[in-house]
Amino acid sequence: MLGKVNVNIMLLAVDIGNTQTVIGVYENEDLVATWRLSTTPSRTSDEIRSFLTPLFHHESLDPAAITHVILASVVPPLTSEWRRAIQDSFQVEPLTCSAALAGSLFQTTYPRPAEIGADRVADAVAAKALYGAPVVVVDFGTATNIEVIDAAGNFVGGIIAPGLLTSAQTLSQRGAQLPVIELLPPEQVVGRSTVEAMRSGIVLGEADRVDGLLKRIFDELGLDQAVVVATGGLASVMAPVTQRITTINSELTLEGLRLIALQAKPAEGSLD
């Protein structure tokens, strides 16, 4: 359990996903700045540095004030580039999120914890810390990930399925007359145009798939109720059209990274 903060801690948390990279800056427990950028696998460390500095200056933040950095990455080619860019920009050795790094914050019965993605670890850590156990996370990103923490507080596993953007892009690419659409909930189930029909199938179809999977999870674990928290770039679109999601926390992954970083490498004298 984290102790009382005695000195100022400035933490940079970076969540590198397949589609988007989310960057957050924490001053102690407060998220003071956040940015959501497109992930470009070919970016070099120099290119990353070229946009990091302007982002900090735009928010009147001093890069030299950063004391801790943690990365969660599911794009291996970018991990080393981001590490190099961070070392050059902030003179801080970044931590790389994993089940092992999370230590006691991440209890699991998973047979091979090293296989669990860094974003899934961070989501589970934050969900348990914020909402207790049992708790289920639905992360709407390139994939739709469902993470399950049982009543004992153990990460027991989850579900990985194609995400909304993946489904929409595949449908448009494979259907010669199907357009690229904006992912919004339709006003009615039965579409009166191609776009409305696609929105119904993709958005409402995803909602029903998530609700159905959550029902199966609850039945399998013998749960009557549990907090189900939505996160990810499309959480605000999807949560209102589901029946089982109870709360939205768009910064859940960043919060998990913050908790893991402070346990793994606290600043000297910062914790009681």
PDB file of all heavy atoms in Angstrom, residues 103-141:
ATOM      1  N   GLY A 103       4.442  -6.753  -9.196  1.00  0.00           N
ATOM      2  CA  GLY A 103       4.651  -7.378  -7.887  1.00  0.00           C
ATOM      3  C   GLY A 103       3.359  -7.696  -7.164  1.00  0.00           C
ATOM      4  O   GLY A 103       2.418  -8.274  -7.730  1.00  0.00           O
ATOM      5  N   SER A 104       3.284  -7.290  -5.894  1.00  0.00           N
ATOM      6  CA  SER A 104       2.138  -7.629  -5.056  1.00  0.00           C
ATOM      7  C   SER A 104       0.857  -6.916  -5.473  1.00  0.00           C
ATOM      8  O   SER A 104      -0.231  -7.286  -5.032  1.00  0.00           O
ATOM      9  CB  SER A 104       2.446  -7.298  -3.595  1.00  0.00           C
ATOM     10  OG  SER A 104       2.679  -5.913  -3.432  1.00  0.00           O
ATOM     11  N   LEU A 105       0.962  -5.878  -6.312  1.00  0.00           N
ATOM     12  CA  LEU A 105      -0.240  -5.204  -6.791  1.00  0.00           C
ATOM     13  C   LEU A 105      -1.033  -6.071  -7.755  1.00  0.00           C
ATOM     14  O   LEU A 105      -2.226  -5.835  -7.979  1.00  0.00           O
ATOM     15  CB  LEU A 105       0.123  -3.894  -7.498  1.00  0.00           C
ATOM     16  CG  LEU A 105       0.731  -2.789  -6.642  1.00  0.00           C
ATOM     17  CD1 LEU A 105       1.074  -1.585  -7.529  1.00  0.00           C
ATOM     18  CD2 LEU A 105      -0.220  -2.372  -5.534  1.00  0.00           C
ATOM     19  N   PHE A 106      -0.362  -7.065  -8.345  1.00  0.00           N
ATOM     20  CA  PHE A 106      -0.991  -7.900  -9.361  1.00  0.00           C
ATOM     21  C   PHE A 106      -0.920  -9.356  -8.927  1.00  0.00           C
ATOM     22  O   PHE A 106       0.051 -10.064  -9.183  1.00  0.00           O
ATOM     23  CB  PHE A 106      -0.292  -7.711 -10.709  1.00  0.00           C
ATOM     24  CG  PHE A 106      -0.950  -8.429 -11.858  1.00  0.00           C
ATOM     25  CD1 PHE A 106      -2.128  -7.973 -12.395  1.00  0.00           C
ATOM     26  CD2 PHE A 106      -0.364  -9.564 -12.402  1.00  0.00           C
ATOM     27  CE1 PHE A 106      -2.734  -8.633 -13.465  1.00  0.00           C
ATOM     28  CE2 PHE A 106      -0.947 -10.228 -13.465  1.00  0.00           C
ATOM     29  CZ  PHE A 106      -2.132  -9.763 -14.001  1.00  0.00           C
ATOM     30  N   GLN A 107      -1.945  -9.788  -8.226  1.00  0.00           N
ATOM     31  CA  GLN A 107      -2.042 -11.187  -7.815  1.00  0.00           C
ATOM     32  C   GLN A 107      -2.769 -11.953  -8.912  1.00  0.00           C
ATOM     33  O   GLN A 107      -3.776 -11.488  -9.450  1.00  0.00           O
ATOM     34  CB  GLN A 107      -2.797 -11.302  -6.497  1.00  0.00           C
ATOM     35  CG  GLN A 107      -2.122 -10.581  -5.344  1.00  0.00           C
ATOM     36  CD  GLN A 107      -2.992 -10.539  -4.103  1.00  0.00           C
ATOM     37  OE1 GLN A 107      -4.210 -10.411  -4.180  1.00  0.00           O
ATOM     38  NE2 GLN A 107      -2.356 -10.640  -2.952  1.00  0.00           N
ATOM     39  N   THR A 108      -2.269 -13.142  -9.236  1.00  0.00           N
ATOM     40  CA  THR A 108      -2.874 -13.872 -10.342  1.00  0.00           C
ATOM     41  C   THR A 108      -2.764 -15.373 -10.153  1.00  0.00           C
ATOM     42  O   THR A 108      -1.833 -15.867  -9.510  1.00  0.00           O
ATOM     43  CB  THR A 108      -2.217 -13.475 -11.681  1.00  0.00           C
ATOM     44  OG1 THR A 108      -2.883 -14.150 -12.761  1.00  0.00           O
ATOM     45  CG2 THR A 108      -0.739 -13.816 -11.704  1.00  0.00           C
ATOM     46  N   THR A 109      -3.739 -16.067 -10.722  1.00  0.00           N
ATOM     47  CA  THR A 109      -3.696 -17.527 -10.809  1.00  0.00           C
ATOM     48  C   THR A 109      -3.393 -17.958 -12.248  1.00  0.00           C
ATOM     49  O   THR A 109      -3.479 -19.129 -12.581  1.00  0.00           O
ATOM     50  CB  THR A 109      -5.044 -18.121 -10.373  1.00  0.00           C
ATOM     51  OG1 THR A 109      -6.096 -17.605 -11.223  1.00  0.00           O
ATOM     52  CG2 THR A 109      -5.356 -17.780  -8.922  1.00  0.00           C
ATOM     53  N   TYR A 110      -3.029 -16.982 -13.082  1.00  0.00           N
ATOM     54  CA  TYR A 110      -2.761 -17.238 -14.500  1.00  0.00           C
ATOM     55  C   TYR A 110      -1.563 -18.169 -14.634  1.00  0.00           C
ATOM     56  O   TYR A 110      -0.527 -17.960 -13.983  1.00  0.00           O
ATOM     57  CB  TYR A 110      -2.467 -15.906 -15.190  1.00  0.00           C
ATOM     58  CG  TYR A 110      -2.829 -15.835 -16.654  1.00  0.00           C
ATOM     59  CD1 TYR A 110      -4.156 -15.685 -17.065  1.00  0.00           C
ATOM     60  CD2 TYR A 110      -1.842 -15.887 -17.629  1.00  0.00           C
ATOM     61  CE1 TYR A 110      -4.483 -15.579 -18.410  1.00  0.00           C
ATOM     62  CE2 TYR A 110      -2.158 -15.792 -18.974  1.00  0.00           C
ATOM     63  CZ  TYR A 110      -3.478 -15.642 -19.358  1.00  0.00           C
ATOM     64  OH  TYR A 110      -3.803 -15.548 -20.692  1.00  0.00           O
ATOM     65  N   PRO A 111      -1.643 -19.210 -15.471  1.00  0.00           N
ATOM     66  CA  PRO A 111      -0.533 -20.175 -15.560  1.00  0.00           C
ATOM     67  C   PRO A 111       0.791 -19.560 -16.004  1.00  0.00           C
ATOM     68  O   PRO A 111       1.850 -19.931 -15.517  1.00  0.00           O
ATOM     69  CB  PRO A 111      -1.044 -21.189 -16.592  1.00  0.00           C
ATOM     70  CG  PRO A 111      -2.530 -21.055 -16.581  1.00  0.00           C
ATOM     71  CD  PRO A 111      -2.806 -19.613 -16.293  1.00  0.00           C
ATOM     72  N   ARG A 112       0.741 -18.592 -16.955  1.00  0.00           N
ATOM     73  CA  ARG A 112       1.977 -17.991 -17.476  1.00  0.00           C
ATOM     74  C   ARG A 112       1.833 -16.466 -17.434  1.00  0.00           C
ATOM     75  O   ARG A 112       1.518 -15.827 -18.457  1.00  0.00           O
ATOM     76  CB  ARG A 112       2.249 -18.484 -18.901  1.00  0.00           C
ATOM     77  CG  ARG A 112       2.625 -19.963 -18.978  1.00  0.00           C
ATOM     78  CD  ARG A 112       2.855 -20.441 -20.397  1.00  0.00           C
ATOM     79  NE  ARG A 112       1.606 -20.475 -21.146  1.00  0.00           N
ATOM     80  CZ  ARG A 112       0.742 -21.490 -21.117  1.00  0.00           C
ATOM     81  NH1 ARG A 112       0.994 -22.552 -20.357  1.00  0.00           N
ATOM     82  NH2 ARG A 112      -0.365 -21.454 -21.834  1.00  0.00           N
ATOM     83  N   PRO A 113       2.084 -15.862 -16.286  1.00  0.00           N
ATOM     84  CA  PRO A 113       1.882 -14.410 -16.139  1.00  0.00           C
ATOM     85  C   PRO A 113       2.697 -13.567 -17.114  1.00  0.00           C
ATOM     86  O   PRO A 113       2.272 -12.472 -17.480  1.00  0.00           O
ATOM     87  CB  PRO A 113       2.319 -14.148 -14.693  1.00  0.00           C
ATOM     88  CG  PRO A 113       2.149 -15.451 -13.999  1.00  0.00           C
ATOM     89  CD  PRO A 113       2.477 -16.495 -15.020  1.00  0.00           C
ATOM     90  N   ALA A 114       3.853 -14.060 -17.556  1.00  0.00           N
ATOM     91  CA  ALA A 114       4.685 -13.285 -18.467  1.00  0.00           C
ATOM     92  C   ALA A 114       4.001 -13.040 -19.803  1.00  0.00           C
ATOM     93  O   ALA A 114       4.385 -12.131 -20.551  1.00  0.00           O
ATOM     94  CB  ALA A 114       6.025 -13.996 -18.691  1.00  0.00           C
ATOM     95  N   GLU A 115       2.989 -13.846 -20.136  1.00  0.00           N
ATOM     96  CA  GLU A 115       2.271 -13.679 -21.398  1.00  0.00           C
ATOM     97  C   GLU A 115       1.247 -12.553 -21.351  1.00  0.00           C
ATOM     98  O   GLU A 115       0.757 -12.120 -22.397  1.00  0.00           O
ATOM     99  CB  GLU A 115       1.540 -14.978 -21.763  1.00  0.00           C
ATOM    100  CG  GLU A 115       2.445 -16.145 -22.071  1.00  0.00           C
ATOM    101  CD  GLU A 115       1.648 -17.399 -22.429  1.00  0.00           C
ATOM    102  OE1 GLU A 115       0.393 -17.349 -22.390  1.00  0.00           O
ATOM    103  OE2 GLU A 115       2.283 -18.420 -22.745  1.00  0.00           O
ATOM    104  N   ILE A 116       0.900 -12.078 -20.173  1.00  0.00           N
ATOM    105  CA  ILE A 116      -0.172 -11.092 -20.041  1.00  0.00           C
ATOM    106  C   ILE A 116       0.326  -9.732 -20.527  1.00  0.00           C
ATOM    107  O   ILE A 116       1.365  -9.243 -20.087  1.00  0.00           O
ATOM    108  CB  ILE A 116      -0.646 -10.997 -18.576  1.00  0.00           C
ATOM    109  CG1 ILE A 116      -1.054 -12.371 -18.060  1.00  0.00           C
ATOM    110  CG2 ILE A 116      -1.816 -10.018 -18.461  1.00  0.00           C
ATOM    111  CD1 ILE A 116      -1.307 -12.408 -16.566  1.00  0.00           C
ATOM    112  N   GLY A 117      -0.423  -9.108 -21.420  1.00  0.00           N
ATOM    113  CA  GLY A 117      -0.031  -7.825 -21.970  1.00  0.00           C
ATOM    114  C   GLY A 117       0.077  -6.754 -20.908  1.00  0.00           C
ATOM    115  O   GLY A 117      -0.655  -6.751 -19.913  1.00  0.00           O
ATOM    116  N   ALA A 118       0.991  -5.811 -21.135  1.00  0.00           N
ATOM    117  CA  ALA A 118       1.241  -4.752 -20.147  1.00  0.00           C
ATOM    118  C   ALA A 118       0.001  -3.914 -19.879  1.00  0.00           C
ATOM    119  O   ALA A 118      -0.254  -3.514 -18.739  1.00  0.00           O
ATOM    120  CB  ALA A 118       2.376  -3.860 -20.631  1.00  0.00           C
ATOM    121  N   ASP A 119      -0.783  -3.641 -20.925  1.00  0.00           N
ATOM    122  CA  ASP A 119      -2.000  -2.845 -20.729  1.00  0.00           C
ATOM    123  C   ASP A 119      -3.011  -3.597 -19.884  1.00  0.00           C
ATOM    124  O   ASP A 119      -3.711  -2.996 -19.056  1.00  0.00           O
ATOM    125  CB  ASP A 119      -2.609  -2.453 -22.074  1.00  0.00           C
ATOM    126  CG  ASP A 119      -2.859  -3.636 -23.000  1.00  0.00           C
ATOM    127  OD1 ASP A 119      -2.265  -4.723 -22.785  1.00  0.00           O
ATOM    128  OD2 ASP A 119      -3.633  -3.471 -23.962  1.00  0.00           O
ATOM    129  N   ARG A 120      -3.083  -4.906 -20.047  1.00  0.00           N
ATOM    130  CA  ARG A 120      -4.008  -5.724 -19.250  1.00  0.00           C
ATOM    131  C   ARG A 120      -3.585  -5.739 -17.779  1.00  0.00           C
ATOM    132  O   ARG A 120      -4.435  -5.683 -16.879  1.00  0.00           O
ATOM    133  CB  ARG A 120      -4.068  -7.155 -19.806  1.00  0.00           C
ATOM    134  CG  ARG A 120      -4.508  -7.231 -21.266  1.00  0.00           C
ATOM    135  CD  ARG A 120      -4.487  -8.654 -21.781  1.00  0.00           C
ATOM    136  NE  ARG A 120      -5.586  -9.435 -21.199  1.00  0.00           N
ATOM    137  CZ  ARG A 120      -5.637 -10.765 -21.213  1.00  0.00           C
ATOM    138  NH1 ARG A 120      -4.643 -11.473 -21.732  1.00  0.00           N
ATOM    139  NH2 ARG A 120      -6.668 -11.388 -20.677  1.00  0.00           N
ATOM    140  N   VAL A 121      -2.285  -5.818 -17.541  1.00  0.00           N
ATOM    141  CA  VAL A 121      -1.782  -5.763 -16.161  1.00  0.00           C
ATOM    142  C   VAL A 121      -2.144  -4.439 -15.508  1.00  0.00           C
ATOM    143  O   VAL A 121      -2.663  -4.392 -14.388  1.00  0.00           O
ATOM    144  CB  VAL A 121      -0.256  -5.973 -16.138  1.00  0.00           C
ATOM    145  CG1 VAL A 121       0.303  -5.726 -14.737  1.00  0.00           C
ATOM    146  CG2 VAL A 121       0.112  -7.380 -16.607  1.00  0.00           C
ATOM    147  N   ALA A 122      -1.890  -3.337 -16.217  1.00  0.00           N
ATOM    148  CA  ALA A 122      -2.173  -2.013 -15.661  1.00  0.00           C
ATOM    149  C   ALA A 122      -3.662  -1.826 -15.398  1.00  0.00           C
ATOM    150  O   ALA A 122      -4.057  -1.273 -14.357  1.00  0.00           O
ATOM    151  CB  ALA A 122      -1.662  -0.934 -16.611  1.00  0.00           C
ATOM    152  N   ASP A 123      -4.503  -2.271 -16.330  1.00  0.00           N
ATOM    153  CA  ASP A 123      -5.952  -2.171 -16.135  1.00  0.00           C
ATOM    154  C   ASP A 123      -6.393  -2.928 -14.887  1.00  0.00           C
ATOM    155  O   ASP A 123      -7.199  -2.432 -14.087  1.00  0.00           O
ATOM    156  CB  ASP A 123      -6.693  -2.739 -17.350  1.00  0.00           C
ATOM    157  CG  ASP A 123      -6.692  -1.803 -18.550  1.00  0.00           C
ATOM    158  OD1 ASP A 123      -6.309  -0.626 -18.393  1.00  0.00           O
ATOM    159  OD2 ASP A 123      -7.073  -2.257 -19.641  1.00  0.00           O
ATOM    160  N   ALA A 124      -5.870  -4.136 -14.723  1.00  0.00           N
ATOM    161  CA  ALA A 124      -6.267  -4.956 -13.578  1.00  0.00           C
ATOM    162  C   ALA A 124      -5.826  -4.341 -12.259  1.00  0.00           C
ATOM    163  O   ALA A 124      -6.573  -4.334 -11.277  1.00  0.00           O
ATOM    164  CB  ALA A 124      -5.695  -6.369 -13.727  1.00  0.00           C
ATOM    165  N   VAL A 125      -4.614  -3.804 -12.228  1.00  0.00           N
ATOM    166  CA  VAL A 125      -4.097  -3.176 -11.003  1.00  0.00           C
ATOM    167  C   VAL A 125      -4.955  -1.982 -10.613  1.00  0.00           C
ATOM    168  O   VAL A 125      -5.354  -1.823  -9.445  1.00  0.00           O
ATOM    169  CB  VAL A 125      -2.626  -2.754 -11.197  1.00  0.00           C
ATOM    170  CG1 VAL A 125      -2.171  -1.806 -10.082  1.00  0.00           C
ATOM    171  CG2 VAL A 125      -1.723  -3.975 -11.247  1.00  0.00           C
ATOM    172  N   ALA A 126      -5.258  -1.123 -11.581  1.00  0.00           N
ATOM    173  CA  ALA A 126      -6.053   0.073 -11.284  1.00  0.00           C
ATOM    174  C   ALA A 126      -7.482  -0.283 -10.895  1.00  0.00           C
ATOM    175  O   ALA A 126      -8.046   0.302  -9.963  1.00  0.00           O
ATOM    176  CB  ALA A 126      -6.063   0.999 -12.494  1.00  0.00           C
ATOM    177  N   ALA A 127      -8.079  -1.244 -11.593  1.00  0.00           N
ATOM    178  CA  ALA A 127      -9.470  -1.611 -11.305  1.00  0.00           C
ATOM    179  C   ALA A 127      -9.616  -2.142  -9.877  1.00  0.00           C
ATOM    180  O   ALA A 127     -10.537  -1.763  -9.151  1.00  0.00           O
ATOM    181  CB  ALA A 127      -9.947  -2.655 -12.308  1.00  0.00           C
ATOM    182  N   LYS A 128      -8.696  -2.992  -9.475  1.00  0.00           N
ATOM    183  CA  LYS A 128      -8.752  -3.545  -8.121  1.00  0.00           C
ATOM    184  C   LYS A 128      -8.539  -2.459  -7.078  1.00  0.00           C
ATOM    185  O   LYS A 128      -9.225  -2.407  -6.046  1.00  0.00           O
ATOM    186  CB  LYS A 128      -7.713  -4.649  -7.974  1.00  0.00           C
ATOM    187  CG  LYS A 128      -7.694  -5.311  -6.594  1.00  0.00           C
ATOM    188  CD  LYS A 128      -6.633  -6.395  -6.549  1.00  0.00           C
ATOM    189  CE  LYS A 128      -6.462  -6.960  -5.158  1.00  0.00           C
ATOM    190  NZ  LYS A 128      -5.387  -7.978  -5.096  1.00  0.00           N
ATOM    191  N   ALA A 129      -7.586  -1.550  -7.331  1.00  0.00           N
ATOM    192  CA  ALA A 129      -7.285  -0.475  -6.382  1.00  0.00           C
ATOM    193  C   ALA A 129      -8.455   0.498  -6.241  1.00  0.00           C
ATOM    194  O   ALA A 129      -8.744   0.978  -5.144  1.00  0.00           O
ATOM    195  CB  ALA A 129      -6.025   0.272  -6.812  1.00  0.00           C
ATOM    196  N   LEU A 130      -9.130   0.787  -7.348  1.00  0.00           N
ATOM    197  CA  LEU A 130     -10.189   1.797  -7.336  1.00  0.00           C
ATOM    198  C   LEU A 130     -11.553   1.241  -6.967  1.00  0.00           C
ATOM    199  O   LEU A 130     -12.364   1.935  -6.339  1.00  0.00           O
ATOM    200  CB  LEU A 130     -10.283   2.468  -8.709  1.00  0.00           C
ATOM    201  CG  LEU A 130      -9.087   3.306  -9.153  1.00  0.00           C
ATOM    202  CD1 LEU A 130      -9.265   3.760 -10.588  1.00  0.00           C
ATOM    203  CD2 LEU A 130      -8.904   4.512  -8.232  1.00  0.00           C
ATOM    204  N   TYR A 131     -11.827  -0.015  -7.370  1.00  0.00           N
ATOM    205  CA  TYR A 131     -13.186  -0.538  -7.245  1.00  0.00           C
ATOM    206  C   TYR A 131     -13.297  -1.789  -6.381  1.00  0.00           C
ATOM    207  O   TYR A 131     -14.399  -2.281  -6.152  1.00  0.00           O
ATOM    208  CB  TYR A 131     -13.768  -0.836  -8.633  1.00  0.00           C
ATOM    209  CG  TYR A 131     -13.695   0.349  -9.559  1.00  0.00           C
ATOM    210  CD1 TYR A 131     -12.743   0.411 -10.585  1.00  0.00           C
ATOM    211  CD2 TYR A 131     -14.553   1.438  -9.406  1.00  0.00           C
ATOM    212  CE1 TYR A 131     -12.657   1.505 -11.432  1.00  0.00           C
ATOM    213  CE2 TYR A 131     -14.468   2.537 -10.250  1.00  0.00           C
ATOM    214  CZ  TYR A 131     -13.529   2.566 -11.260  1.00  0.00           C
ATOM    215  OH  TYR A 131     -13.443   3.661 -12.096  1.00  0.00           O
ATOM    216  N   GLY A 132     -12.161  -2.288  -5.901  1.00  0.00           N
ATOM    217  CA  GLY A 132     -12.202  -3.489  -5.085  1.00  0.00           C
ATOM    218  C   GLY A 132     -12.363  -4.737  -5.936  1.00  0.00           C
ATOM    219  O   GLY A 132     -12.189  -4.716  -7.149  1.00  0.00           O
ATOM    220  N   ALA A 133     -12.696  -5.849  -5.282  1.00  0.00           N
ATOM    221  CA  ALA A 133     -12.853  -7.127  -5.972  1.00  0.00           C
ATOM    222  C   ALA A 133     -14.121  -7.832  -5.463  1.00  0.00           C
ATOM    223  O   ALA A 133     -14.472  -7.676  -4.295  1.00  0.00           O
ATOM    224  CB  ALA A 133     -11.628  -8.007  -5.728  1.00  0.00           C
ATOM    225  N   PRO A 134     -14.802  -8.542  -6.374  1.00  0.00           N
ATOM    226  CA  PRO A 134     -14.480  -8.781  -7.784  1.00  0.00           C
ATOM    227  C   PRO A 134     -14.732  -7.544  -8.642  1.00  0.00           C
ATOM    228  O   PRO A 134     -15.539  -6.686  -8.290  1.00  0.00           O
ATOM    229  CB  PRO A 134     -15.425  -9.924  -8.159  1.00  0.00           C
ATOM    230  CG  PRO A 134     -16.619  -9.707  -7.270  1.00  0.00           C
ATOM    231  CD  PRO A 134     -16.054  -9.220  -5.960  1.00  0.00           C
ATOM    232  N   VAL A 135     -14.050  -7.495  -9.779  1.00  0.00           N
ATOM    233  CA  VAL A 135     -14.229  -6.394 -10.727  1.00  0.00           C
ATOM    234  C   VAL A 135     -13.855  -6.907 -12.114  1.00  0.00           C
ATOM    235  O   VAL A 135     -12.987  -7.771 -12.262  1.00  0.00           O
ATOM    236  CB  VAL A 135     -13.378  -5.165 -10.331  1.00  0.00           C
ATOM    237  CG1 VAL A 135     -11.890  -5.507 -10.332  1.00  0.00           C
ATOM    238  CG2 VAL A 135     -13.662  -3.972 -11.228  1.00  0.00           C
ATOM    239  N   VAL A 136     -14.543  -6.381 -13.117  1.00  0.00           N
ATOM    240  CA  VAL A 136     -14.278  -6.765 -14.504  1.00  0.00           C
ATOM    241  C   VAL A 136     -14.002  -5.492 -15.301  1.00  0.00           C
ATOM    242  O   VAL A 136     -14.700  -4.494 -15.146  1.00  0.00           O
ATOM    243  CB  VAL A 136     -15.471  -7.526 -15.118  1.00  0.00           C
ATOM    244  CG1 VAL A 136     -15.171  -7.904 -16.572  1.00  0.00           C
ATOM    245  CG2 VAL A 136     -15.800  -8.775 -14.299  1.00  0.00           C
ATOM    246  N   VAL A 137     -12.978  -5.534 -16.141  1.00  0.00           N
ATOM    247  CA  VAL A 137     -12.622  -4.407 -17.005  1.00  0.00           C
ATOM    248  C   VAL A 137     -12.928  -4.777 -18.450  1.00  0.00           C
ATOM    249  O   VAL A 137     -12.578  -5.875 -18.902  1.00  0.00           O
ATOM    250  CB  VAL A 137     -11.123  -4.067 -16.889  1.00  0.00           C
ATOM    251  CG1 VAL A 137     -10.762  -2.920 -17.840  1.00  0.00           C
ATOM    252  CG2 VAL A 137     -10.756  -3.707 -15.459  1.00  0.00           C
ATOM    253  N   VAL A 138     -13.573  -3.852 -19.169  1.00  0.00           N
ATOM    254  CA  VAL A 138     -13.762  -4.005 -20.607  1.00  0.00           C
ATOM    255  C   VAL A 138     -13.013  -2.861 -21.275  1.00  0.00           C
ATOM    256  O   VAL A 138     -13.378  -1.696 -21.120  1.00  0.00           O
ATOM    257  CB  VAL A 138     -15.250  -3.975 -21.006  1.00  0.00           C
ATOM    258  CG1 VAL A 138     -15.386  -4.247 -22.509  1.00  0.00           C
ATOM    259  CG2 VAL A 138     -16.052  -4.990 -20.206  1.00  0.00           C
ATOM    260  N   ASP A 139     -11.945  -3.194 -21.985  1.00  0.00           N
ATOM    261  CA  ASP A 139     -11.070  -2.198 -22.611  1.00  0.00           C
ATOM    262  C   ASP A 139     -11.359  -2.181 -24.112  1.00  0.00           C
ATOM    263  O   ASP A 139     -11.036  -3.126 -24.834  1.00  0.00           O
ATOM    264  CB  ASP A 139      -9.607  -2.556 -22.339  1.00  0.00           C
ATOM    265  CG  ASP A 139      -8.646  -1.424 -22.709  1.00  0.00           C
ATOM    266  OD1 ASP A 139      -9.030  -0.573 -23.536  1.00  0.00           O
ATOM    267  OD2 ASP A 139      -7.536  -1.400 -22.165  1.00  0.00           O
ATOM    268  N   PHE A 140     -11.974  -1.080 -24.565  1.00  0.00           N
ATOM    269  CA  PHE A 140     -12.368  -0.958 -25.968  1.00  0.00           C
ATOM    270  C   PHE A 140     -11.246  -0.280 -26.758  1.00  0.00           C
ATOM    271  O   PHE A 140     -11.157   0.946 -26.808  1.00  0.00           O
ATOM    272  CB  PHE A 140     -13.656  -0.147 -26.091  1.00  0.00           C
ATOM    273  CG  PHE A 140     -14.871  -0.822 -25.524  1.00  0.00           C
ATOM    274  CD1 PHE A 140     -15.357  -0.453 -24.276  1.00  0.00           C
ATOM    275  CD2 PHE A 140     -15.526  -1.820 -26.228  1.00  0.00           C
ATOM    276  CE1 PHE A 140     -16.495  -1.063 -23.749  1.00  0.00           C
ATOM    277  CE2 PHE A 140     -16.661  -2.436 -25.706  1.00  0.00           C
ATOM    278  CZ  PHE A 140     -17.142  -2.066 -24.459  1.00  0.00           C
ATOM    279  N   GLY A 141     -10.382  -1.080 -27.351  1.00  0.00           N
ATOM    280  CA  GLY A 141      -9.293  -0.559 -28.155  1.00  0.00           C
ATOM    281  C   GLY A 141      -9.249  -1.253 -29.501  1.00  0.00           C
ATOM    282  O   GLY A 141     -10.285  -1.622 -30.060  1.00  0.00           O
TER     283      GLY A 141
END
